Amino acid sequence: MPLLLLDLDNTLLDRAGPFRAWGKRFLDGIGAPPADIDWLLSIDADGLTDRWDVADAIRERYDLRIPSIDLVEELHDGVVAFTRLDPLVACALQIADGAGWIPVIVSNGVVRQQETKIRRTGLDRYVADWVISEEAGVSKPNPRIFALAAQRVRTPLRGAWVVGDGPEADIGGAAAVGLPSVWLHRGRAWSDNRFAPTRTADGLIAAVASVLAG
């Protein structure tokens, strides 16, 4: 049974939407102009900026006295509160499982936040297991994290596919470990000439259909 190695944020679960929703609520709560959501999104950089750096930038811009650690907690918990599992994503994972694939999440990030999203949304019912970089001690695109995912479910990497939206982390990681990949383009054009995805798709459902179609 081959592995389906799946990214979490903006692949299995939408992150951009929940972060924007939380950001709008937070900015409204501190009396910031609604247009500042664009600044907050740019600082966040689609989740690539360290949470502590985002918290410090917010504190400095709005001269907030809230401790950084409390703001980091708000960033974690606020985004999680807005996160939902798309029923069609759950259906796609069930179809993949029924077709003999083993879905495993491979995610960079903090264990507490990522596991909370996986469990609270019910995503844990549709995957065999997950590996999160903080716990694993290694992050995508390092090939070691994909090997750890395979070990977690006692299945060889041979025949696996990687699916994700991150050009470097997901597609670069797949290339580094010698696996085919599907890139979720999210309206972007591919621009990295060091490697390229095997296929592209506009979302998780299309990506799973592409893999199952062979």
Side-chain angles (χ1 to χ4, degrees):
M1 298 177 71
L3 291 171
L4 195 56
L5 302 172
L6 302 152
D7 180 42
L8 181 62
D9 291 324
N10 289 323
T11 297
L12 288 169
L13 297 175
D14 178 30
R15 183 199 177 270
F19 183 83
R20 176 182 284 273
W22 168 81
K24 286 182 176 179
R25 186 187 67 179
F26 177 82
L27 293 174
D28 182 63
I30 62 173
D36 278 14
I37 187 63
D38 293 330
W39 171 82
L40 184 57
L41 293 175
S42 69
I43 290 296
D44 175 65
D46 211 19
L48 295 178
T49 306
D50 184 85
R51 300 298 84 193
W52 289 91
D53 292 337
V54 174
D56 287 342
I58 293 172
R59 291 177 70 248
E60 181 177 352
R61 182 178 178 91
Y62 300 108
D63 195 26
L64 301 179
R65 295 188 177 183
I66 180 174
S68 291
I69 188 169
D70 291 343
L71 193 47
V72 168
E73 291 293 314
E74 169 68 19
L75 279 161
H76 284 164
D77 298 341
V79 173
V80 168
F82 282 101
T83 303
R84 302 288 185 273
L85 174 62
D86 184 338
L88 292 178
V89 168
C91 183
L93 292 174
Q94 286 180 309
I95 290 171
D97 179 72
W101 291 79
I102 304 174
V104 180
I105 299 170
V106 184
S107 174
N108 287 348
V110 178
V111 170
R112 186 177 72 83
Q113 182 179 24
Q114 303 302 74
E115 279 202 350
T116 299
K117 286 190 286 190
I118 291 168
R119 295 185 186 280
R120 186 170 293 178
T121 61
L123 182 58
D124 58 320
R125 299 196 298 268
Y126 301 99
V127 297
D129 212 328
W130 53 83
V131 175
I132 300 169
S133 64
E134 182 186 52
E135 177 187 26
V138 62
S139 302
K140 298 181 293 185
N142 191 312
R144 178 62 181 157
I145 196 168
F146 297 104
L148 287 172
Q151 291 174 13
R152 186 70 60 89
V153 292
R154 298 181 175 85
T155 302
L157 275 173
R158 184 180 64 256
W161 278 73
V162 175
V163 178
D165 73 302
E168 177 77 23
D170 299 312
I171 309 309
V177 79
L179 295 175
S181 60
V182 183
W183 180 53
L184 307 191
H185 59 75
R186 298 173 59 209
R188 302 164 294 172
W190 186 262
S191 60
D192 199 319
N193 58 15
R194 295 172 300 165
F195 44 78
T198 309
R199 299 172 185 167
T200 61
D202 61 4
L204 189 278
I205 294 132
V208 170
S210 177
V211 171
L212 296 188

